[in-house]
Amino acid sequence: MTEERKLELDNKCLQLRSDLIDLLHSIQTGHPGGSLSCTEILAALYYEIMNMAPENPNTEGRDRLILSKGHAAPMLYLILADKGYFPKEDLRTLRQLDSHLQGHPCVHKTPGIELSTGPLGLGLGAGIGMALGERLKESSAYIYVVMGDGEIQEGAVWEAAMAGSKFKTANCIAILDNNGVQLDGTLEEIMPMGDIAAKWNAFGWNVIRCNGHDVSAITDAVSEAKSVKERPSIIICQTVKGKAVSFMEGKNIWHGKPINDEEYRQAKLELGGRAHER
């Protein structure tokens, strides 16, 4: 990736973060912390890596993104709207009655969503199933599954990990948003995971580590994962919950806390944007 392109994507991520704060402050609901931690991950995938067609969301042979940590839907919706999957005006209806933008992604209502998520731990198994289906069709498509590190405390994740290893689903790339914080506290407080990389390696996966807030590093990690053909890969992205908003960083309270007016003004100041009245 050229420095010019990296700067362009860094600026895009800054704008997405600012837009997220505007949106969640205006509706007084939603999940800021986990949305801010996966910004670069989603941006790298949608703006640099994935083969997709917003004008025809169900086109055959497309790459698919499963946001298994479904509570980060606000950031995903911002990107989908920016890519043209639905009008940006729809964003203001997030989590409102009769909106197609539910609090967690819904495949039946929202263009660009590949799997309904919310109950944690289900995305990887579904992604492996999709990858096997694409293999049967001799498709070159990749399935990307973005998980949270609180999520991988779920047993279903490790059952899926065994299946991916057995069936050698190299066309399913898992990406772990490793911010170290979940709803009720840190991973160490709630359920220590020990050496996460060693666990995935023991389950037969190719493990790649990278800085989850560096779009260039994420892009390079995906390229490395694609070069491995005999087993699936997981990219462990080291991230910060609430990244780029100082009072949110590393704080579990910001998993789903509404943003008040004072907090909104401070966040916008830190992100270099102008606060708007609700």
Side-chain angles (χ1 to χ4, degrees), residues 45 49 144 173 175 208 217-227 235:
L45 289 168
I49 297 169
Y144 300 93
I173 298 176
I175 301 176
I208 303 166
I218 295 165
T219 302
D220 289 345
V222 171
S223 295
E224 182 180 344
K226 286 182 176 181
S227 73
I235 301 169

Side-chain angles (χ1 to χ4, degrees), residues 2-242:
T2 66
E3 284 299 318
E4 182 180 9
R5 178 60 174 158
K6 185 178 185 304
L7 179 60
E8 183 180 345
L9 289 176
D10 286 344
N11 288 334
K12 173 66 73 174
C13 289
L14 182 62
Q15 186 61 56
L16 287 167
R17 284 191 166 93
S18 185
D19 291 346
L20 178 89
I21 296 300
D22 283 337
L23 176 60
L24 299 190
H25 172 253
S26 70
I27 63 174
Q28 285 296 288
T29 184
H31 293 80
S35 294
L36 292 169
S37 71
C38 68
T39 304
E40 282 80 8
I41 295 171
L42 295 180
L45 289 168
Y46 276 97
Y47 295 103
E48 190 68 17
I49 297 169
M50 289 173 56
N51 172 35
M52 55 192 178
E55 68 282 0
N56 185 12
N58 297 317
T59 187
E60 284 292 324
R62 71 190 181 280
D63 291 339
R64 291 175 169 88
L65 183 286
I66 295 173
L67 185 64
S68 196
K69 47 168 283 178
H71 51 276
M75 185 56 71
L76 177 59
Y77 294 155
L78 283 165
I79 292 174
L80 290 176
D82 190 50
K83 295 294 290 185
Y85 282 91
F86 53 82
K88 290 184 178 182
E89 293 75 22
D90 293 0
L91 291 166
R92 288 300 181 120
T93 70
L94 172 63
R95 293 174 70 100
Q96 308 303 308
L97 287 176
D98 300 321
S99 173
H100 70 92
L101 301 179
Q102 299 188 7
H104 293 75
C106 179
V107 69
H108 303 294
K109 292 182 176 291
T110 311
I113 298 300
E114 300 288 356
L115 182 75
S116 297
T117 58
L120 296 174
L122 303 182
L124 186 60
I128 288 169
M130 291 179 185
L132 289 170
E134 292 302 303
R135 179 190 293 175
L136 287 173
K137 292 185 286 188
E138 299 183 348
S139 165
S140 61
Y142 277 85
I143 315 300
Y144 300 93
V145 182
V146 178
M147 301 183 291
D149 49 8
E151 175 181 6
I152 65 169
Q153 295 163 353
E154 300 280 356
V157 170
W158 300 101
E159 293 180 44
M162 286 189 288
S165 179
K166 172 181 170 57
F167 295 113
K168 297 181 172 59
T169 51
N171 56 334
C172 179
I173 298 176
I175 301 176
L176 182 64
D177 183 5
N178 188 199
N179 62 39
V181 182
Q182 57 192 102
L183 173 62
D184 291 326
T186 66
L187 262 66
E188 291 303 308
E189 292 169 331
I190 306 303
M191 184 59 67
M193 293 300 294
D195 189 335
I196 294 174
K199 283 181 169 62
W200 284 96
N201 187 61
F203 273 72
W205 285 58
N206 175 51
V207 179
I208 303 166
R209 290 182 177 274
C210 79
N211 178 352
H213 295 306
D214 184 330
V215 288
S216 181
I218 295 165
T219 302
D220 289 345
V222 171
S223 295
E224 182 180 344
K226 286 182 176 181
S227 73
V228 177
K229 305 299 184 183
E230 293 303 314
R231 57 178 177 156
S233 294
I234 181 167
I235 301 169
I236 299 177
C237 291
Q238 194 66 42
T239 60
V240 176
K241 190 152 188 153

